[in-house]
C-alpha cells in the first residue's frame, strides 16, 4: 500500500492546480474524446490533453447493491454527459437528492476505490444551483 | 467463391460449478461428444479453433487452450487457433473455423468453447470484464452498466419491471427441459421481482450466474461431408459475421449499433431476413439484454420487446422462440463456452432433436453473442445464421 493514492494514469492529469479529470481534443478538428486517445479518429492528428468541464448532465445513475472487489459499501454510479460532447462514468454522491435523468452534476477528483490501494477518480455530486 | 460449410457434430457438458473438473476435462469431454456425434475420428480433424476468455488469469493457460484440448483427444499436426473476445470468444472461434473452411484452406474443423470460472478468488461478487480497467476503478460492474441501460429503456419506452421479469421466467421455463442447464426450477414473476437487488432495477434473477462448462462443434466443407459420408444431419452455416463496436461518445444506450449492423450483414449474406427466423439464441446475460438484442436483430420493433415478451411471442410455441436452451440466465455464463453452447442448441433444434424444447419444423436459426465494453458500446458482436 503506497502513501499517496494512485491517480488513474489515463484520465487524471495535473495541469498545475491539482489533479483534474482529463479528456483529449484534436487541435485540428476539435473532436473531443473520453477516455483520452493518442490520435484523432477523424484525421489522425496527435490529440492534446484538456481538462473536462466542471458540470455535466446526468444520463443515468444506478445504485450498486452488491459492490465488486475493491469496494466495501454500496454506492451510486452513473453516466454524465459533459458540454464538450463526451460521456463520463463515475461514482456519484447523492447527498440526499433524488438522482434524476437530466439533472446537473459537478465533479471533483477524489478517492474512488480503496482496495487493493486507493485510486483517484471523478466523483460527481448534485451541482449547487 | 466460398465453399459451403456445415455443422456435422455437436457436444456439450453440463453447465454449473464443478470443483472436480478442469478446463482440460471439460474441453475434452465436449469435444469427444462432438466427434462421436459426427461419427468421425480425431484423426479426421485438420483444424482446431478454441474460444476462452479468462482462462489465462485463472488456469495458467493465457494461450494454448486449443493445443491442450487437441492433445487430450489425440489430435496432432494440425492448425490450431486460440481466440479471445470477451463473452464472444467461442462464437469468434467458430467464425475463424468457418472462414478457414469456407476459404478452402481446411476441410474438417473442431471448434471448442470452454471456461471454468468457479475457481476465481472473488466468487460471489459480480464478475468484472476485460477492457474496463479505468471504469472498474470508478465502480463499474456489468450489472451496473446494464442497470443504467434498463432505466433508459424504461424511461424511453415504458418497459416495466414485470416485462423484464417475463424474460427470466420464460428462460427458466425452457431450462426445466434442458438437462445441461445450471438452474432448472421454474420461477414466477414475483420470484424475480422479490429476488435480492444487484443494481438499479436489476435483481439477482435478472442477472446470469457464472459457471463452468464447454461446448464443441465439428464443421466440414461440402466435399468433406461427401467424402466422410456424414451428411444425414448436416446443418448449413448460412452466414457468420464478426464486427467490433461503433464508438460514439454520447448515444442512447437502448440500442447496440454493432448488433444492428452485424445482423444486417448476416441477413444479407444469407439472403434471409428476421421474418425467416424460426428459433433464436441471444446474449441474455441480463433480462434487459435479451430485450435489446431481439430489437436490434429486428425480431420486434424498437421499444416493443417488453410487451411482446410478456405476450409470449418469444416463448416456446410463440412467434419466434428465443433462448430455447434456457439461455445464459439459466445455463450460467462460462464466457468462452456460452457462444458455442448457443450454436449446439440451434443445431439440435434444426435437426429436430430438442425433445420437449423442440420448435416444430425449425428451418432457420440465428445466434447473437456480443462481448466486452468500449466507450459506451459493446466491443464485439458475432452473428451466426444456420439453416437446415
Amino acid at each position: 500500500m503506497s502513501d499517496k493514492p494512485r491517480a488513474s494514469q489515463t484520465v487524471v492529469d495535473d495541469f498545475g492546480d491539482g489533479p483534474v479529470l482529463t479528456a483529449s481534443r484534436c487541435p485540428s478538428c476539435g473532436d473531443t474524446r473520453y477516455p483520452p486517445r493518442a490520435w484523432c479518429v477523424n484525421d489522425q492528428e496527435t490529440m492534446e490533453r484538456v481538462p473536462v468541464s466542471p458540470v455535466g448532465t446526468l444520463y443515468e445513475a444506478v445504485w450498486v447493491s452488491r459492490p465488486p472487489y475493491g469496494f466495501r459499501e454500496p454506492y451510486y454510479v452513473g453516466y454524465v454527459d459533459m458540454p464538450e460532447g463526451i460521456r463520463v462514468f463515475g461514482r456519484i454522491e447523492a447527498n440526499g437528492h433524488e438522482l434524476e435523468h437530466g439533472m446537473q452534476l459537478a465533479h471533483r477528483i477524489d478517492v474512488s476505490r480503496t482496495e487493493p490501494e486507493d485510486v483517484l477518480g471523478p466523483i460527481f455530486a448534485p451541482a449547487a444551483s | 467463391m466460398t465453399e459451403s460449410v456445415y455443422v456435422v457434430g455437436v457436444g456439450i457438458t453440463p453447465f454449473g460449478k464443478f470443483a472436480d473438473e478442469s478446463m482440460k476435462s471439460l474441453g475434452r469431454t465436449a469435444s469427444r461428444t462432438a466427434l462421436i456425434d459426427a461419427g468421425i475420428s480425431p484423426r479426421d480433424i485438420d483444424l482446431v479453433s478454441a474460444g476462452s476468455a479468462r482462462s489465462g488469469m485463472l488456469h495458467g493457460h493465457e494461450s494454448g487452450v486449443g493445443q491442450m484440448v487437441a492433445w487430450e483427444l489425440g489430435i496432432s499436426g494440425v492448425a490450431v487457433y486460440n481466440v479471445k473476445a470477451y463473452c464472444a470468444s467461442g462464437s469468434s472461434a467458430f467464425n475463424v473455423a468457418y472462414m478457414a473452411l469456407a476459404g478452402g484452406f481446411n476441410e474438417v474443423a473442431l471448434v471448442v468453447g470452454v471456461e471454468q470460472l468457479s475457481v476465481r478468488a472473488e466468487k460471489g461478487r459480480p464478475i468484472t470484464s476485460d477492457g474496463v480497467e479505468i471504469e472498474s476503478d470508478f465502480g463499474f460492474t456489468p450489472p451496473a452498466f446494464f442497470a443504467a441501460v434498463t432505466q433508459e429503456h424504461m424511461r424511453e419506452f415504458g418497459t416495466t419491471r414485470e416485462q423484464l421479469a417475463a424474460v427470466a421466467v420464460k428462460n427458466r421455463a425452457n431450462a426445466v427441459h434442458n438437462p445441461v442447464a445450471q438452474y432448472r426450477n421454474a420461477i414466477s414473476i414475483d420470484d424475480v421481482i422479490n429476488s435480492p437487488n444487484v443494481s438499479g432495477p436489476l435483481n439477482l434473477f435478472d442477472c446470469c450466474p457464472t459457471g463452468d462448462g464447454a461446448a464443441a462443434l465439428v464443421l466440414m466443407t461440402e466435399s468433406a461431408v461427401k467424402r466422410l459420408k456424414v451428411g444425414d444431419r448436416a446443418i448449413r452455416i448460412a452466414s457468420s459475421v464478426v464486427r467490433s463496436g461503433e464508438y460514439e461518445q454520447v448515444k442512447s444506450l437502448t440500442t447496440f449499433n454493432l448488433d444492428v449492423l452485424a445482423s444486417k450483414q448476416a441477413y444479407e449474406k444469407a439472403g434471409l431476413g428476421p421474418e425467416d427466423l424460426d428459433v433464436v439464441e441471444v446474449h441474455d446475460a441480463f433480462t434487459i439484454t435479451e430485450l435489446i438484442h431481439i430489437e436490434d436483430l429486428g425480431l420486434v420493433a424498437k421499444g416493443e420487446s417488453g410487451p411482446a415478451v410478456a405476450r409470449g411471442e418469444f416463448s416456446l410455441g410463440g412467434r419466434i422462440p428465443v433462448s430455447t436452451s434456457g439461455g445464459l440466465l439459466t445455463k450460467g455464463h462460462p464466457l468462452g463456452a456460452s457462444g458455442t453452447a448457443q450454436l449446439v442448441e440451434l443445431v439440435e433444434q434444426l435437426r429436430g432433436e430438442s425433445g420437449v424444447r423442440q420448435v416444430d419444423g425449425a428451418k432457420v436459426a440465428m445466434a447473437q453473442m456480443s462481448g466486452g465494453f468500449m466507450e459506451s458500446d459493446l466491443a464485439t458482436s458475432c452473428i451466426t445464421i444456420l439453416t437446415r
Side-chain angles (χ1 to χ4, degrees), chain B residues 12-13 19 21 42 55-56 69 72 105 134 150 214 239 243 249 279 309 325 334 346 350 353 357 372 385 388:
Chain B
I12 189 165
T13 67
E21 297 285 348
S55 49
V69 172
E72 287 283 327
F105 295 97
I134 300 169
T150 305
S239 58
R243 189 175 176 120
Q249 288 279 306
V279 56
V309 164
S325 68
L346 295 178
L350 295 176
E353 296 175 354
R357 288 177 288 117
I385 299 179
R388 189 175 66 188

Side-chain angles (χ1 to χ4, degrees), chain A residues 6 10 33-34 37 59-63 65-66 68-69 71 75 79 85-87 89 91 101 112-113 121-122, chain B residues 125-126 134 136-141 144-145 148 151-152 155 197-200 247 249-253 375:
Chain A
R6 172 168 70 88
T10 42
R33 295 278 172 157
Y34 176 92
R37 289 170 175 266
Y59 179 61
E60 288 294 342
V62 296
W63 180 248
S65 299
R66 297 199 164 196
Y69 176 73
F71 300 84
Y75 53 83
Y79 287 93
I86 59 174
R87 178 170 288 169
F89 178 87
R91 294 183 61 172
H101 174 85
S112 178
R113 109 183 240 173
Chain B
R125 298 179 128 187
I134 300 169
S136 293
D137 276 345
F138 305 160
F140 179 95
T141 66
F145 174 80
Q151 277 182 194
E152 190 64 10
R155 203 176 56 76
N197 184 251
V198 174
S199 184
Y247 309 124
Q249 288 279 306
V250 176
K251 64 180 278 286
S252 169
L253 289 180
E375 207 171 305

Side-chain angles (χ1 to χ4, degrees), chain B residues 109-155:
Chain B
L110 172 68
V111 179
V112 57
V114 57
E115 206 82 49
Q116 190 178 27
L117 296 174
S118 65
V119 299
R120 69 195 180 98
E122 66 276 25
K123 68 183 165 189
R125 298 179 128 187
I127 193 166
T128 55
S129 175
D130 286 330
V132 285
E133 292 83 0
I134 300 169
E135 293 88 345
S136 293
D137 276 345
F138 305 160
F140 179 95
T141 66
F145 174 80
F146 286 110
V149 168
T150 305
Q151 277 182 194
E152 190 64 10
H153 206 274
M154 289 172 148
R155 203 176 56 76

Side-chain angles (χ1 to χ4, degrees), chain B residues 13-18 21-28 30 50-59 61-62 65 68-69 83-91 112-120 127 130 210-215 331-340:
Chain B
T13 67
F15 278 31
K17 286 151 186 127
F18 308 120
E21 297 285 348
S22 63
M23 287 188 67
K24 192 184 278 189
S25 66
L26 292 164
R28 75 182 173 214
S52 61
R54 314 204 85 186
S55 49
M57 51 188 275
L58 294 171
H59 297 274
H61 264 288
E62 189 65 46
V65 170
M68 171 182 76
V69 172
V83 185
K84 285 178 176 287
Y86 318 92
C87 308
S89 298
S91 310
V112 57
V114 57
E115 206 82 49
Q116 190 178 27
L117 296 174
S118 65
V119 299
R120 69 195 180 98
I127 193 166
D130 286 330
T210 66
D212 312 332
K331 293 204 299 291
H333 191 10
L335 309 166
S338 290
T340 47

